[in-house]
Amino acid sequence: MIRNAEHEDIDRILVIENTSFPRPWSRKSFETELFKDNCDFLVYDIDGSIAGYIVFWYILDEAELAVVAVADGFRRQGIAGRLLTYCVEKNKNINVIYLEVEKTNTSAVKLYEKKGFRTNGEIKDYYGEGRHALRMSCLRKDYRGDEYA
């Protein structure tokens, strides 16, 4: 089930965040997202377990995928794609979505390409320590969703 993140979810989200990224978001960063306007901070809840989460920002007709991650035991099951599609479908006024992804994260890059994203450029040392990001975008008309219910 996809639902809004709650303060009680933060500890479990941090476990996923810390095992997914070399430079994870802080507790305060996630707590701030709980109260932002123009933001979807959602979790994928499977029988009380947080399998994944997404932070999706939007303003006017543009959106940015800030972060999406899936817990180790739930990866490769389509959860990240379902979370993203849910956000895109929920926000009907969005015409373009942007994101940055680590260039070497081939599974994420493939997911985004499958959804219709295209690489627009590279940001050198975006993640520090010589780790580069790809800047990607997708027009709504080109987005390829999936079942998320």
Side-chain angles (χ1 to χ4, degrees):
M1 167 177 82
I2 297 174
R3 64 171 174 78
N4 288 325
E6 300 171 357
H7 194 270
E8 297 77 30
D9 299 322
I10 300 291
D11 285 338
R12 292 180 288 171
I13 288 168
L14 284 170
V15 169
I16 300 168
E17 179 76 7
N18 288 320
T19 59
S20 298
F21 304 108
R23 287 181 36 201
W25 283 25
S26 68
R27 173 180 298 279
K28 183 160 181 62
S29 294
F30 282 111
E31 288 173 342
T32 300
E33 298 303 319
L34 289 169
F35 304 104
K36 278 187 178 175
D37 292 331
N38 302 321
C39 174
D40 289 334
F41 181 11
L42 306 171
V43 296
Y44 198 99
D45 185 322
I46 299 177
D47 299 325
S49 292
I50 304 301
Y53 60 90
I54 190 169
V55 175
F56 188 82
W57 299 320
Y58 48 88
I59 188 162
L60 302 174
D61 67 342
E62 295 186 355
E64 181 171 354
L65 173 57
V67 66
V68 63
V70 176
D72 281 337
F74 296 98
R75 292 190 176 143
R76 307 244 187 266
Q77 297 178 28
I79 292 170
R82 285 187 206 102
L83 284 163
L84 179 56
T85 295
Y86 184 92
C87 290
V88 172
E89 292 302 315
K90 179 178 179 244
N91 296 286
K92 301 287 187 196
N93 62 316
I94 292 170
N95 288 319
V96 63
I97 308 140
Y98 299 99
L99 62 86
E100 291 85 27
V101 61
E102 189 167 350
K103 185 177 180 177
T104 60
N105 188 346
T106 55
S107 60
V109 171
K110 285 180 185 177
L111 168 68
Y112 300 136
E113 288 174 344
K114 177 182 160 193
K115 296 290 183 193
F117 284 81
R118 297 292 170 249
T119 300
N120 305 111
E122 186 174 319
I123 307 168
K124 301 288 185 195
D125 204 35
Y126 184 79
Y127 297 102
E129 301 171 1
R131 295 177 14 248
H132 310 311
L134 296 178
R135 177 77 167 152
M136 301 181 83
S137 66
C138 181
L139 297 175
R140 173 182 279 286
K141 68 179 184 66
D142 297 329
Y143 185 80
R144 294 185 290 275
D146 55 17
E147 289 285 318
Y148 56 80

